[in-house]
Amino acid sequence: MSYRTFEDVKEVILSAHKNTEAGDKVGFYNTWAENYDQDVGLLDYRAPSLAANCLSPCFHGDRVTAVILDVACGTGLVAAQLKRMGFRHFVGVDGSKGMLELANKTGLYQDLKQCMLGDEPLPVQAAQFEVVVIVGALSDGQVPVRVIRELCQATKPGGYVCMTTRGNHDNLEYKAALERELELMEGAGLWGPVAITEVEEWEKAVAEPEKGYIPGVVYVYRKSSL
């Protein structure tokens, strides 16, 4: 792993926005995997800890036996945060083989599955998990909004789904579409909101003319018990 600077990270993030095809995305993340943890540290990427901190007080079940599906798990940053909060069982899904190899080395996951979200169905059984999390992937050019229905389907009745998205200018259209889908699913009786937390300092801005930090949102929904 080479020494990196914030300017290096900006260049990497901006190049990711240019990769719109599924194969290009996978190639990008496979290449980035080696430097990923170091780079998100330089980015001051707070989403994993913010999501865990929002989810934890909402969950009142047995953390030792609960099984968490970590979608777009990357190298395991979210699972590491949740383990500190008492959760023990994790299944990870990601489209990048390189990321999954690093996630496997953490020893956090009982199972890891490769899947291109949006292009392939989520490779899990319905109503299997007490908690489903997706942190960082719900954004423009990444995972399509429709995938959240699959997340809900994978969750046990009465279980929780924790999702995040960015609130910066380039992602506002996607955020609006995501929130429309959340409301449509709520209206259909599939789930209801437990906590929606807006955060001003989500991660450092990389795109011009944004300065300082960009905002983000954590959504925690509970699946209907019926």
Side-chain angles (χ1 to χ4, degrees):
M1 185 182 296
S2 58
Y3 176 75
R4 311 273 287 175
T5 68
F6 181 60
E7 291 303 314
D8 294 329
V9 178
K10 284 178 66 172
E11 186 176 337
V12 169
I13 300 291
L14 292 173
S15 71
H17 296 167
K18 299 173 185 176
N19 295 320
T20 56
E21 298 298 324
D24 293 338
K25 288 289 184 189
V26 171
F28 168 79
Y29 280 103
N30 284 337
T31 302
W32 194 20
E34 181 185 358
N35 291 314
Y36 181 79
D37 286 2
Q38 181 185 5
D39 284 4
V40 295
L42 289 167
L43 188 62
D44 199 12
Y45 177 58
R46 302 173 178 183
S49 60
L50 290 167
N53 288 333
C54 290
L55 173 63
S56 183
C58 298
F59 185 85
H60 303 293
D62 185 343
R63 298 184 182 212
V64 174
T65 60
V67 183
I68 296 179
L69 178 64
D70 186 2
V71 180
C73 65
T75 60
L77 297 178
V78 179
Q81 293 287 335
L82 290 172
K83 185 178 181 182
R84 295 189 186 104
M85 296 174 178
F87 295 96
R88 291 292 178 267
H89 297 282
F90 302 94
V91 173
V93 175
D94 201 275
S96 164
K97 183 180 178 182
M99 291 288 188
L100 289 171
E101 288 173 351
L102 291 174
N104 187 49
K105 290 179 181 178
T106 66
L108 291 166
Y109 295 91
Q110 283 70 52
D111 193 14
L112 288 162
K113 304 171 185 288
Q114 188 171 5
C115 172
M116 277 302 301
L117 299 167
D119 292 339
E120 302 170 313
L122 199 59
V124 297
Q125 295 180 353
Q128 188 177 358
F129 299 94
E130 282 82 3
V131 178
V132 176
V133 297
I134 183 167
V135 174
L138 289 174
S139 62
D140 185 48
Q142 299 286 329
V143 173
V145 165
R146 66 178 183 275
V147 166
I148 66 171
R149 290 187 177 265
E150 295 184 61
L151 307 183
C152 183
Q153 290 165 4
T155 309
K156 288 182 175 181
Y160 297 85
V161 183
C162 178
M163 302 157 280
T164 72
T165 198
R166 294 181 285 106
N168 62 314
H169 183 268
D170 288 348
N171 200 55
L172 289 180
E173 188 174 333
Y174 182 98
K175 180 175 178 286
L178 174 64
E179 291 179 348
R180 283 195 299 271
E181 189 73 357
L182 293 172
E183 291 173 3
L184 282 172
M185 292 172 65
E186 181 184 354
L190 297 175
W191 61 14
V194 178
I196 298 175
T197 306
E198 298 191 13
V199 180
E200 286 302 312
E201 295 188 350
W202 189 258
E203 63 187 48
K204 290 180 181 177
V206 297
E208 298 295 340
E210 296 169 336
K211 303 294 183 183
Y213 284 77
I214 63 169
V217 189
V218 181
Y219 310 88
V220 180
Y221 275 67
R222 190 172 191 188
K223 185 173 179 177
S224 300
S225 297
L226 300 178

